[in-house]
């Protein structure tokens, strides 16, 4: 007996140990039949509903309980959907697959093409680089291959020590803008120049030459990095400009220099910069604002101005700076801070899509072509052209029997034949109206196959990307719930006049007219015309309706200026009309909407209940809502009877309190 008691005690202790060691995520907060809702599932759903885990964790227990009831209903509906076979319903699966292709394609482009490159760009944009280059242009050098060979030969001579970079720039560079400045193209940051160029610069130490020739859309470059420093993203500055031209428009740089020197002397004597700018600056766009230029970034001003301004400290005033516009004195007012990644994200996306996206997209698609063994059957092109009878794309193809089943391109287990391919071309404005040739066919193949390959990748993405799988699961659940609502609620709402009238009688207090007035308006732009009309009316020499046909308010002339019964507090006009005592009375002339107005009171309807016919649209909407709610409640009641749900409210107090 003692032995049994000891064994029982040990068994209880073991049970106690295991019950206490249940992982937080495995705590059961609800069940229905044999299905359980764990704490992990509840917290995930609640966080998504709240917008974030952090926000959800600060919510109240009462909110957790309310949500648990809604979530239980949701889970029971999903179980019912599977039991009805929605997961095997062809129409629903087709909708799901169509969504997967469309959303998956966008998802891939954002997550796999855009997002990975944003962080690199953001980090690079914390640094600005100054570089010089020697450029060889293909159009000036006998073609692409010749330009590449020339650039490589020049780079080799620099590496061997035969010539310096600067010597070769002065003789050979075909960039006339930078050639006479040792190839200097000034400071820049990521996203301002062609990616191939800036990528090489960011990989090169200061005072070093990039070890390879770099190709961009402008030509072939040999690149030397001359400086790197922490980027100042933007500055707020003011300036005083003295133009080289005098008041007669003649260039007099000596007088301009004397004038700017006298202004500098006043600044050094302690006079106010903004006041001096208002008095002496020749920049008419900024002088009245004390010379304030607002914020600007690198490379937005001419180089001499830019370099001087970005080297100033806040509150500091520059020496006299000469540019093509004249002499400047610059005052730095403040420096902008580098934004956080999240703050700058949209801007980074815009820069990436403008400068690099197409190259990233092409590289990704080329990788997919290798992955899926993409092939093009160019032999079919000749057959298509030969049998086209030179028709314009968009017309019916004259000999479909000869080409419809011909495979134009293939990938994985997909074979694209001419018939659906041409169906797309006929609707594509890029190709319609043109004749078939190999160039057109190649463009169409590239365009359509690129889209298809990404969509094909999307179809299997949920097996390798957990976030996408969750997105698709949410959408699938959504279309299942929508289908249930159709079957159990919306399609069961029956509306007929008898039921609507019964509903109206029970709820008629909800449908009321406020005090209303009907009136006619004469509105004209001219004060004198309005007064003339008023005098005619007062003297009985004109009919109000006849004059109202001349109203000049947009959209009211064809209505004869008439406003049907309108709530008194609806507008200034209805309030003015309501001030009139008797039907047929009219106002004096008053100003309204940049014109002049006379109103006549035509009818008055005091506040009252709406008749059934007047309220019919509102009654119908309210009836549908009430019926939908009733049917929804009946459906939920049937689910509760079927699944016997239980929510463990006490466990919800532990939500979002897992120990790390």
């Amino acid at each position: 007996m003692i032995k049994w008691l000891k064994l029982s005690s040990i068994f209880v202790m073991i049970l106690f140990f295991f019950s206490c060691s249940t992982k937080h995520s495995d705590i059961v907060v609800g069940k229905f039949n044999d299905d359980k809702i764990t704490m992990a599932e509840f917290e995930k759903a609640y966080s998504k509903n709240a917008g974030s885990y952090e926000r959800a964790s600060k919510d109240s227990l009462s909110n957790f309980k309310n949500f648990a009831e809604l979530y239980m209903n949701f889970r029971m509906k999903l179980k019912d959907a599977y039991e009805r076979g929605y997961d095997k319903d062809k129409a629903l699966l087709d909708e799901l697959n169509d969504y997967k292709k469309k959303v998956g394609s966008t998802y891939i482009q954002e997550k796999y093409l855009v997002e990975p490159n944003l962080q690199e760009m953001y980090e690079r944009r914390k640094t600005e680089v100054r570089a010089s280059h020697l450029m060889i242009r293909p159009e000036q050098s006998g073609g692409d291959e010749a330009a590449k060979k020339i650039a490589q030969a020049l780079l080799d001579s620099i590496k061997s020590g035969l010539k310096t970079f600067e010597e070769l720039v002065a003789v050979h560079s075909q960039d006339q803008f930078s050639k006479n400045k040792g190839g200097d193209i000034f400071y820049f940051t990521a996203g301002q120049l062609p990616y191939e160029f800036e990528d090489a610069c960011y990989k090169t130490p200061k005072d070093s030459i990039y070890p390879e020739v770099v190709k961009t859309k402008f030509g072939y470059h040999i690149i030397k990095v001359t400086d790197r420093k922490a980027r100042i993203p933007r500055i707020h500055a003011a300036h005083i400009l003295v133009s080289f031209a005098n008041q007669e428009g003649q260039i007099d740089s000596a007088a301009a220099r004397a004038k700017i020197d006298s202004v500098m002397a006043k600044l050094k004597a302690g006079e106010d910069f903004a006041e001096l700018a208002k008095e002496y600056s020749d920049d008419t766009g900024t002088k009245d604002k004390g010379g304030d230029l607002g914020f600007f970034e690198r490379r937005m001003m001419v180089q001499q101005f830019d370099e001087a301004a970005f080297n100033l400290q806040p509150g500091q005033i520059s020496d006299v700076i000469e540019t093509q516009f004249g002499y400047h004195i610059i005052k730095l007012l403040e420096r902008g801070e580098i934004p956080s990644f999240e703050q700058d994200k949209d801007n980074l996306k815009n820069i990436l899509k403008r400068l690099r996206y197409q190259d990233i997209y092409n590289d990704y698609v080329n990788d997919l072509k290798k992955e899926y063994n993409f092939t093009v059957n160019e032999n079919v092109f000749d057959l298509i052209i030969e049998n086209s009878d030179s028709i314009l794309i968009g017309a019916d193809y004259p000999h479909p029997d000869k080409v419809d089943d011909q495979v134009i391109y293939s990938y994985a287990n997909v074979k694209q034949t001419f018939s659906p391919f041409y169906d797309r071309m006929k609707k594509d404005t890029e190709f319609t109206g043109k004749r078939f040739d190999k160039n057109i066919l190649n463009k169409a193949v590239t365009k359509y196959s690129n889209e298809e390959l990404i969509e094909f990748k999307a179809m299997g993405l949920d097996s390798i990307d957990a976030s996408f799988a969750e997105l698709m699961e949410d959408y699938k659940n959504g279309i299942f719930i929508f289908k249930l609502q159709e079957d159990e609620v919306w399609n069961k709402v029956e509306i007929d006049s008898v039921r609507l009238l019964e509903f109206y009688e029970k709820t008629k207090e909800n449908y009321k007219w406020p005090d209303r007035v009907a009136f006619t308006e004469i509105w004209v732009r001219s004060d004198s015309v309005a007064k003339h009309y008023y005098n005619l009316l007062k003297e009985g020499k004109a009919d109000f309706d006849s004059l109202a046909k001349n109203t000049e308010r947009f959209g009211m002339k064809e209505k004869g200026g008439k406003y049907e019964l309108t709530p008194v507090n609806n507008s200034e006009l209805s309030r003015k009309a309501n001030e009139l005592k008797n039907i047929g009375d009219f106002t004096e002339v008053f100003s309204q909407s940049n014109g002049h107005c006379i109103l006549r009171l035509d009818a008055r309807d005091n506040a009252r209940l709406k008749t059934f016919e007047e309220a019919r649209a509102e009654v119908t909407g309210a009836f549908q809502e009430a019926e939908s709610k009733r049917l929804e409640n009946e459906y939920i009641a049937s689910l509760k009877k079927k699944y016997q749900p239980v929510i463990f409210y006490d466990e919800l107090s532990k939500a979002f309190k897992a120990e790390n």
Side-chain angles (χ1 to χ4, degrees), residues 356-605:
R356 282 195 63 202
Y357 181 75
Q358 194 58 51
D359 291 334
I360 297 168
Y361 178 88
N362 291 340
D363 289 344
Y364 184 79
V365 170
N366 287 335
D367 288 340
L368 291 181
K369 287 179 177 180
K370 294 174 185 175
E371 180 181 348
Y372 297 131
N373 193 27
F374 175 82
T375 57
V376 180
N377 188 2
E378 293 196 10
N379 293 330
V380 175
F381 290 0
D382 293 328
L383 189 63
I384 294 168
I385 296 166
E386 179 185 336
N387 289 282
S388 70
D389 293 350
S390 297
I391 63 159
L392 298 180
I393 295 170
D396 290 338
Y397 192 80
H399 304 290
D401 55 308
K402 296 183 179 181
V403 294
D404 271 1
D405 296 330
Q406 293 292 324
V407 176
I408 298 178
Y409 57 87
S410 61
Y411 54 91
N413 59 348
V414 177
K415 293 182 178 180
Q416 185 61 270
T417 58
F418 177 75
S419 181
F421 177 79
Y422 186 50
D423 283 343
R424 291 184 71 175
M425 288 189 76
K426 285 195 291 187
K427 300 171 185 175
D428 193 331
T429 55
E430 183 179 349
F431 305 119
T432 52
K434 299 176 181 176
R435 299 190 190 280
F436 283 103
D437 61 38
K438 287 191 174 182
N439 181 51
I440 288 288
L441 288 168
N442 269 312
K443 280 186 176 180
V445 166
T446 299
K447 181 177 182 179
Y448 302 150
S449 64
N450 286 358
E451 294 170 2
E452 289 175 36
L453 285 163
I454 290 182
E455 288 179 351
F456 189 83
K457 182 72 173 180
M459 292 304 290
L461 192 61
D462 50 354
S463 63
I464 58 174
D465 187 309
S467 295
F468 184 69
E470 184 178 328
L471 179 67
M472 292 310 303
E473 184 69 18
D474 286 345
Y475 184 76
K476 180 180 68 175
N477 293 342
I479 62 174
F480 285 2
I481 296 296
F482 187 88
K483 173 69 172 167
L484 281 171
Q485 292 298 113
E486 271 191 330
D487 292 346
E488 292 297 325
V489 179
W490 302 323
N491 291 344
K492 291 184 177 181
V493 175
E494 297 179 0
I495 300 175
D496 60 61
S497 295
V498 174
R499 297 185 74 190
L500 283 179
L501 185 56
E502 289 175 354
F503 186 78
Y504 166 76
E505 292 297 336
K506 293 177 184 176
T507 60
K508 65 172 63 177
E509 289 297 323
N510 296 331
Y511 316 111
K512 296 177 180 178
W513 285 120
D515 289 335
R516 295 181 299 160
V517 289
F519 53 93
T520 303
E521 174 195 44
I522 301 170
W523 183 90
V524 291
R525 291 176 178 82
S526 168
D527 180 35
S528 60
V529 170
K531 288 178 179 177
H532 174 64
Y533 285 171
Y534 179 75
N535 289 331
L536 290 175
L537 292 169
K538 287 289 287 183
E539 295 167 6
K541 295 180 179 180
D543 175 66
F544 199 99
D545 288 327
S546 298
L547 294 178
K549 292 177 181 177
N550 300 321
T551 188
E552 297 174 12
R553 189 184 294 279
F554 179 76
M556 293 304 297
K557 192 177 186 71
E558 57 273 23
K559 297 178 183 179
K562 292 191 179 298
Y563 290 79
E564 300 300 328
L565 284 169
T566 305
V568 167
N569 293 322
N570 192 58
S571 68
E572 179 189 3
L573 295 181
S574 55
R575 287 191 291 272
K576 281 275 189 182
N578 188 54
E579 292 172 2
L580 296 168
K581 291 184 178 180
N582 303 309
I583 305 301
D585 288 354
F586 53 85
T587 65
E588 295 182 351
V589 175
F590 63 93
S591 297
Q592 207 274 334
S593 298
N594 297 317
H596 305 276
C597 193
I598 307 170
L599 297 180
R600 181 189 68 192
L601 180 63
D602 296 336
R604 192 189 299 279
D605 188 26

Side-chain angles (χ1 to χ4, degrees), residues 185-201:
I185 57 171
F186 200 50
Y187 287 98
F188 62 91
T189 191
Q192 292 182 323
L193 299 179
Y195 177 74
E196 303 89 347
F197 190 98
E198 69 181 33
D199 185 54
C201 291

